[in-house]
Amino acid sequence: MSKLDGKVAVITGGASGIGEATVKLFVDEGARVVIADIQDEPGQELARSLGEAAIYQHTDVTSEDGIQGAVGRAVADFGHLDIMFNNAGGLRARGSILEISTEAFDAALALLLRSVFLGMKQAGIVMAAQGSGTILSTSSVAGISPGRGPHVYATAKAAVIHLTKSVALELGEHKVRVNCICPGGVATPLVCDAAGVGLEAMPAILEGLSHNQPLARACLPEDIAGAALWLCSDAADYITGQSLTIDGGEALGPRWFEQKLT
């Protein structure tokens, strides 16, 4: 028996990167998945490649109508909703605090925090009524300690962790679990974009990311997908309100013999 047999999931940002890897793994493990994204061509192609187990839904995650549409599509096409993975994101509002515009700040929070709030709300409505479900969101090691991401990105990711804990307190009585994951640097198209390079630079990105943590290899989307699978499976049925760091040990800090002791 597969780990997600009979379960239905909505995965935002599901057309590429961590989302794409998670879509594929969830389908392999028996789930039916709504791929919610604004990247229509890769999203539709991914759905086609997975057959009847996956459908694509164009979804603006900053819009309540968009999120409601993705959740509604899951219920309409597959009958219910067991998993909501709020994964869509991007590096917005980069630069000095002295230069970030109000418009860029608002847009970043809409993508990185409002979308998670909307996903929790709309999935929570369905899950509370049915008395079961799990909500997972993507935070970041940047939300745990400063200096690991742009100001607004890091702030939004920290808020995702706190929102996760707060909502877990409310939805627990409905047997709905709420958790988040905190990846370190992951070799995805998003990282290439942040570095200002194309996908052809991925080998160099993989090499660069292999030196930042005790486990000396780059983190891959499949590493995060595996953690998402566990948290969304019945194996984690008693886990809620938690943030799981997946960074190869990067957030532990420098090794003792590399620290300056003077």
Side-chain angles (χ1 to χ4, degrees):
M1 182 177 179
S2 298
K3 295 182 175 66
L4 299 181
D5 275 348
K7 295 189 182 295
V8 175
V10 171
I11 300 178
T12 69
S16 64
I18 292 170
E20 179 185 5
T22 306
V23 168
K24 291 177 178 177
L25 182 59
F26 278 23
V27 168
D28 284 346
E29 290 291 341
R32 291 167 293 173
V33 180
V34 175
I35 304 164
D37 210 309
I38 57 172
Q39 301 179 84
D40 293 338
E41 188 173 338
Q44 291 165 353
E45 178 56 35
L46 178 60
R48 281 193 293 269
S49 72
L50 296 172
E52 295 181 355
I55 54 177
Y56 175 74
Q57 175 78 11
H58 181 92
T59 305
D60 176 1
V61 296
T62 69
S63 159
E64 185 152 19
D65 287 343
I67 293 291
Q68 191 172 37
V71 169
R73 184 80 186 276
V75 174
D77 283 41
F78 297 135
H80 52 99
L81 177 64
D82 303 290
I83 299 164
M84 181 74 188
F85 185 14
N86 300 306
N87 169 70
L91 289 170
R92 302 286 180 86
R94 289 176 262 178
S96 166
I97 194 66
L98 308 179
E99 301 168 347
I100 298 170
S101 69
T102 301
E103 293 76 16
F105 176 88
D106 289 343
L109 285 188
L111 176 61
L112 298 168
L113 182 57
R114 183 203 294 165
S115 65
V116 174
F117 153 70
L118 292 173
M120 289 179 174
K121 176 184 176 182
Q122 291 300 324
I125 291 170
V126 173
M127 292 175 178
Q130 69 189 18
S132 65
T134 183
I135 298 172
L136 182 65
S137 303
T138 300
S139 179
S140 170
V141 292
I144 299 173
S145 59
R148 299 181 184 278
H151 297 307
V152 187
Y153 178 87
T155 299
K157 293 301 188 179
V160 167
I161 296 172
H162 203 79
L163 185 62
T164 293
K165 297 177 183 295
S166 185
V167 175
L169 284 169
E170 177 183 354
L171 295 184
E173 67 176 290
H174 301 291
K175 299 182 180 178
V176 177
R177 301 187 297 109
V178 187
N179 295 291
C180 67
I181 51 179
C182 299
V186 185
T188 66
L190 179 65
V191 172
C192 290
D193 178 64
V197 297
L199 291 177
E200 68 279 359
M202 185 59 76
I205 294 291
L206 287 166
E207 172 63 21
L209 289 174
S210 68
H211 304 294
N212 296 332
Q213 58 283 318
L215 296 182
R217 69 166 178 84
C219 182
L220 302 175
E222 291 75 14
D223 294 313
I224 310 303
L229 171 65
W230 177 68
L231 280 171
C232 292
S233 73
D234 292 342
D237 193 51
Y238 204 58
I239 296 175
T240 195
Q242 302 303 306
S243 56
L244 177 61
T245 302
I246 312 160
D247 67 345
E250 179 185 355
L252 297 173
R255 295 174 291 185
W256 68 269
F257 49 83
E258 294 177 330
Q259 298 180 34
K260 295 181 179 180
L261 302 178
T262 57

